[in-house]
Amino acid sequence: VKLQEKGTAPGVAASGEADQYAAVRRIMTSIGCAVEDAPEATFSGIKITPGPEIVTKPSFAACPAEYKSRFPEPSKIKISGRSSLVVEGNVVIESLDLDGALVIECEEGAACGIIKDLTVKNKGWKKVADNADSSPEYIRIRGYCLEKNETKKIVFKKMEV
């Protein structure tokens, strides 16, 4: 905590996770998506920008160059700072207004899933401070647990023949 106050990155689980989310946000904003940063939060004395949490699985985009084809109309993508987005598989997101939690999965072998004109507003997921000794280690090292209040889930399924 004292090193963070002096400008040194903390290098702990919470900050590493937040940095990963920030990297995806930067990629998305660099191609023209509107992605808000969440207000700074503190967990176990460590300051982080907690969101939005955007997880793109390698089956969706394995490198930054692939984001342009996955978000072909980036000006039509809006993600609030409190949102959580998880995308897996062969999906193209043409237009999305997200304020909450959304999980999109496209099963292997399914036709390309296309998201168009989708608006999601729900309670979403929230980081809740948790420093209890009785909590699992993966919670204690972050200083918070993720409370999944409400999630919209879209699954593109493989057609059975």
Side-chain angles (χ1 to χ4, degrees):
V1 175
K2 291 182 190 272
L3 288 175
Q4 188 179 33
E5 290 171 359
K6 293 179 181 179
T8 301
V12 298
S15 63
E17 198 169 75
D19 290 348
Q20 183 63 38
Y21 297 140
V24 175
R25 289 195 304 271
R26 275 189 221 109
I27 293 167
M28 291 182 66
T29 57
S30 76
I31 64 166
C33 299
V35 183
E36 299 174 356
D37 280 345
E40 189 175 82
T42 303
F43 298 99
S44 297
I46 302 296
K47 294 177 185 170
I48 63 168
T49 301
E53 298 126 346
I54 303 173
V55 177
T56 56
K57 305 282 181 121
S59 59
F60 172 74
C63 68
E66 293 179 2
Y67 281 72
K68 286 183 180 180
S69 64
R70 296 303 188 171
F71 299 97
E73 298 184 62
S75 64
K76 294 182 178 180
I77 306 295
K78 181 181 174 195
I79 301 174
S80 75
R82 67 175 205 89
S83 293
S84 302
L85 173 64
V86 179
V87 190
E88 180 175 6
N90 188 15
V91 177
V92 171
I93 303 174
E94 293 182 358
S95 51
L96 172 66
D97 186 350
L98 177 60
D99 185 28
L102 172 63
V103 175
I104 305 168
E105 297 173 359
C106 185
E107 294 179 348
E108 190 173 330
C112 179
I114 297 179
I115 301 295
K116 187 173 183 172
D117 299 327
L118 178 64
T119 298
V120 175
K121 183 168 177 66
N122 60 33
K123 293 177 185 173
W125 303 349
K126 183 179 179 185
K127 288 179 174 68
V128 178
D130 185 343
N131 296 310
D133 290 337
S134 60
S135 294
E137 183 179 13
Y138 69 91
I139 299 292
R140 291 192 317 268
I141 64 174
R142 283 183 180 89
Y144 63 83
C145 62
L146 193 59
E147 195 174 84
K148 295 183 177 184
N149 297 308
E150 187 178 4
T151 307
K152 177 166 184 66
K153 186 171 185 176
I154 298 171
V155 179
F156 295 97
K157 295 198 171 279
K158 181 179 176 181
M159 298 287 280
E160 297 297 325
V161 186

